Amino acid sequence: MLTGGGARAAYQVGVLKAIAELLPNRPNPFRVIVGTSAGAVAAAVIAGRARRWHKAVAEIERVWAGFHVDQVFEVGGWKMLSAGLRWLGSLVTAGLLVAPPKSLFNNRPLRELLARSVSWHGLKRGVQRGDLDALALCATSYSSALSVAFFSSHPGRQEWTRRGHIGRQADLHLNHLMASLAVPFLFAPEPIGTEFHGDGAMRQLAPLSPAAHLGATRLLIIGVRAPEDASAHQPPATRLPAPGPGQLLGYALDNLFMDQVYADQEQMERVNQLLRCDPQSMPGAQEIETLLITPSEDPRDIAARHIGSLPRSLRALLRVTGARDVHGSRLASYLMFESTYTQELIALGYRDAMQRSGEIVAFLDRRRADRSGQEEGAQAQQRRKTDAVGEGREDHAG
């Protein structure tokens, strides 16, 4: 499962790079792939090239390591100024003479990049050949306010309807991916069928649920923010300035992309504990193991070191919204699609994964390890039988 996180998703690329090196000769280990928002990009690329997933990861790294903001959304000075003037004109005329823009940024460059990078035909072929079981891209319906997991899998996989979220079998294409990426206010909503959809994290009260419905029994979650320990928080010595709109938007994105993931993982672990104590308490339910990998260093601190790499127009926007200094680097860390920043996040993800290499390999290779253990046990039992026969022959000869 690849969570949302804007530019912070470069961290996930580093983790995937490490996994590809740790399993150099393995076929695709991710039978079910679930992507939300920025995490949906890597999810779609890998699913579209599941048979050659090592090369897919290498291609994702190449793109992310060379990223620039203008590959994601238009940031030219005139583009930003015209968008600002349109907002102002709409406000002054109450929307009568000038219609309000659909979003703050135009992400047409990203649409063009993804149209070249994702193989939807490869996804269909991979599912048919058994290279993977399912891909799910999560979005939010603006009409029903439901979290929708659009998924591609074998025809026998059942759709589902639960409180607040649904799963729908779909012929996945670029619109589903762009819908999952459509962060409210920042990017325009995406039409799918008769409804408009936006970022998949908005209404995800149970973000781990789609993977479970698609048959996952072990869930590797790659996040973009380390859990914060409230008990370790110390208030500053002096009062900080009141947060500006940019800082508030940064907090909203934090909540949007990760808080529900942590809450759902805790809930899943409670269910697992209940099943271990009393398997009959929930008939038909089964344990789902989870392994969560998150940054060991705060992406805000990394972003603060690279503010100067942003285009001048975007730095001006951050300054106007009060997110230009170190206290506003939370928002910048989501928008900084610049290679100096993404390369450092990739390196961090790679280091973090390598430091947990044994844990990751054991988790992803659990079935193979179990099978190997059974084979070793059978071989040991055979050796004991052989030794016993040999000892019997020696006694008979004596």
Side-chain angles (χ1 to χ4, degrees):
M1 176 179 173
L2 299 171
T3 68
R8 292 189 184 194
Y11 176 84
Q12 299 172 336
V13 177
V15 175
L16 291 170
K17 176 185 176 181
I19 292 174
E21 290 187 13
L22 292 170
L23 304 174
N25 301 315
R26 279 289 309 276
N28 171 38
F30 311 114
R31 303 301 308 171
V32 174
I33 304 176
V34 178
T36 300
S37 196
V41 174
V45 172
I46 293 175
R49 300 173 64 182
R51 176 155 291 193
R52 299 183 176 182
W53 71 279
H54 294 88
K55 290 186 177 181
V57 171
E59 178 63 17
I60 295 169
E61 183 200 359
R62 185 190 66 79
V63 172
W64 276 90
F67 245 142
H68 295 289
V69 171
D70 58 9
Q71 292 176 276
V72 180
F73 51 87
E74 296 176 346
V75 290
W78 171 244
K79 293 286 186 181
M80 299 289 285
L81 178 60
S82 61
L85 291 175
R86 186 172 177 181
W87 280 104
L88 180 61
S90 178
L91 178 64
V92 171
T93 64
L96 298 177
L97 299 180
V98 180
K102 295 180 180 179
S103 61
L104 181 61
F105 300 121
N106 184 343
N107 62 351
R108 183 177 59 184
L110 180 60
R111 176 183 287 274
E112 294 172 352
L113 174 64
L114 295 177
R116 299 189 302 268
S117 303
V118 182
S119 173
W120 303 107
H121 177 70
L123 166 64
K124 295 178 185 177
R125 190 170 62 247
V127 171
Q128 291 171 355
R129 292 188 309 203
D131 296 331
L132 78 163
D133 295 334
L135 167 69
L137 302 177
C138 300
T140 302
S141 168
Y142 279 112
S143 58
S144 67
L146 291 174
S147 175
V148 186
F150 294 104
F151 67 91
S152 176
S153 70
H154 292 293
R157 181 63 62 183
Q158 297 296 315
E159 297 182 343
W160 67 87
T161 299
R162 296 291 185 273
R163 182 178 179 85
H165 64 95
I166 59 176
R168 292 293 177 260
Q169 181 88 246
D171 182 13
L172 293 179
H173 50 75
L174 185 59
N175 282 15
H176 294 97
L177 180 54
M178 295 305 298
S180 186
L181 294 165
V183 180
F185 300 112
L186 298 184
F187 301 132
E190 189 73 20
I192 299 177
T194 59
E195 299 179 275
F196 277 91
H197 292 76
D199 193 284
M202 281 191 289
R203 297 284 293 178
Q204 270 193 325
L205 301 179
L208 308 187
S209 179
H213 280 288
L214 293 171
T217 56
R218 284 173 294 131
L219 188 53
L220 174 67
I221 308 163
I222 309 178
V224 295
R225 177 170 65 87
E228 297 174 356
D229 184 1
S231 63
H233 172 71
Q234 294 293 332
T238 58
R239 177 179 294 177
L240 298 176
Q247 289 174 264
L248 296 176
L249 180 55
Y251 282 110
L253 292 177
D254 261 357
N255 177 69
L256 185 69
F257 292 133
M258 284 304 298
D259 285 354
Q260 290 299 329
V261 174
Y262 295 134
D264 202 23
Q265 188 194 24
E266 291 178 357
Q267 175 66 18
M268 185 170 285
E269 182 53 34
R270 284 193 289 269
V271 172
N272 287 341
Q273 291 175 357
L274 179 61
L275 289 173
R276 293 185 199 114
C277 295
D278 184 8
Q280 302 304 319
S281 60
M282 301 178 68
Q286 107 180 78
E287 288 188 43
I288 298 179
E289 297 180 71
T290 61
L291 178 61
L292 176 63
I293 302 176
T294 54
S296 59
E297 182 180 354
D298 196 329
R300 291 176 299 176
D301 298 334
I302 301 175
R305 298 196 290 267
H306 297 283
I307 287 286
S309 67
L310 286 172
R312 183 179 300 176
S313 56
L314 191 53
R315 294 202 306 269
L317 176 64
L318 293 175
R319 186 181 299 111
V320 169
T321 60
R324 176 66 175 82
D325 60 7
V326 66
H327 302 298
S329 59
R330 192 186 303 267
L331 175 60
S333 70
Y334 289 107
L335 299 179
M336 196 175 293
F337 292 93
E338 288 294 328
S339 58
T340 57
Y341 174 64
T342 57
Q343 287 175 13
E344 192 165 345
L345 279 182
I346 291 171
L348 176 63
Y350 180 84
R351 288 197 307 272
D352 287 351
M354 282 301 187
Q355 288 175 357
R356 301 176 63 181
S357 59
E359 185 181 5
I360 291 172
V361 170
F363 186 80
L364 292 177
D365 226 10
R366 188 68 47 80
R367 289 180 183 174
R368 179 171 292 194
D370 291 344
R371 187 163 57 248
S372 176
Q374 292 172 359
E375 291 173 355
E376 289 178 2
Q379 291 171 1
Q381 185 176 6
Q382 182 61 38
R383 285 196 298 271
R384 286 194 295 270
K385 290 181 179 178
T386 302
D387 291 343
V389 170
E391 290 174 359
R393 286 176 177 172
E394 289 177 1
D395 292 341
H396 179 70

